[in-house]
Amino acid sequence: MGSHKTDAEAMKENQIQSDIRLRLSEIQAGVYLRYNVGTFLTMDGRPVKIGEPGVSDLIGITPRVVTQDDVGKTIGVFTAIETKQVKDSTSKARKISQGNFIRRIKELGGIAGICRSVEDAEKWFVRPRTIDGAVA
């Protein structure tokens, strides 16, 4: 066995995010933006909070062809991709917050989930799906 890490295990979360965004762009699977949460200091030292805790790392619009009622139209579906390293060290509170956000997006008809690699993200986009997520 040993302690040798695979490439996927060693990959940092920000690299996973970048690789996923690049691949989804290459296969024209929508538009995705990096969503940041945190606090930064202005030049004069004042703290400024940005973002909403629990929102996924990558958010965007995924084009989807809908069913009979809208034949021929392509719609954009809000998409949230939470990226994680294989060995995840996210706090329990943050995992709960992120899970709640993902559940809410799905309840509202969006696409949301966790990806640990480009391959995870490709599973969502390689085959066309209907609005409810079923393979078309």
Side-chain angles (χ1 to χ4, degrees):
M1 291 259 215
S3 62
H4 179 61
K5 291 183 178 181
T6 66
D7 289 343
E9 290 173 332
M11 190 177 291
K12 299 289 184 204
E13 200 170 300
N14 63 353
Q15 186 62 52
I16 295 168
Q17 292 165 11
S18 294
D19 290 352
I20 288 171
R21 286 180 67 203
L22 177 62
R23 181 63 182 141
L24 295 180
S25 174
E26 290 171 350
I27 64 174
Q28 298 179 357
V31 176
Y32 300 90
L33 305 171
R34 170 73 176 104
Y35 188 86
N36 290 299
V37 176
T39 303
F40 69 92
L41 298 177
T42 62
M43 292 181 77
D44 61 358
R46 291 179 292 126
V48 176
K49 290 186 177 188
I50 60 167
E52 182 67 29
V55 175
S56 295
D57 298 315
L58 299 175
I59 58 173
I61 299 292
T62 303
R64 291 286 187 234
V65 176
V66 295
T67 58
Q68 288 291 68
D69 296 336
D70 293 312
V71 172
K73 293 182 184 176
T74 299
I75 62 165
V77 177
F78 184 84
T79 304
I81 301 170
E82 180 64 39
T83 57
K84 298 283 182 204
Q85 291 178 269
V86 172
K87 292 192 176 188
D88 182 16
S89 62
T90 305
S91 72
K92 184 177 179 179
R94 181 168 278 183
K95 282 182 182 181
I96 291 169
S97 178
Q98 292 168 344
N100 289 339
F101 179 78
I102 288 169
R103 262 189 303 287
R104 186 67 178 137
I105 296 304
K106 287 179 174 182
E107 288 169 359
L108 294 171
I111 299 168
I114 296 172
C115 290
R116 290 176 172 23
S117 67
V118 170
E119 293 76 19
D120 285 350
E122 283 182 321
K123 290 175 190 173
W124 292 3
F125 302 102
V126 170
R127 292 178 30 196
R129 297 181 182 277
T130 62
I131 192 71
D132 65 358
V135 175

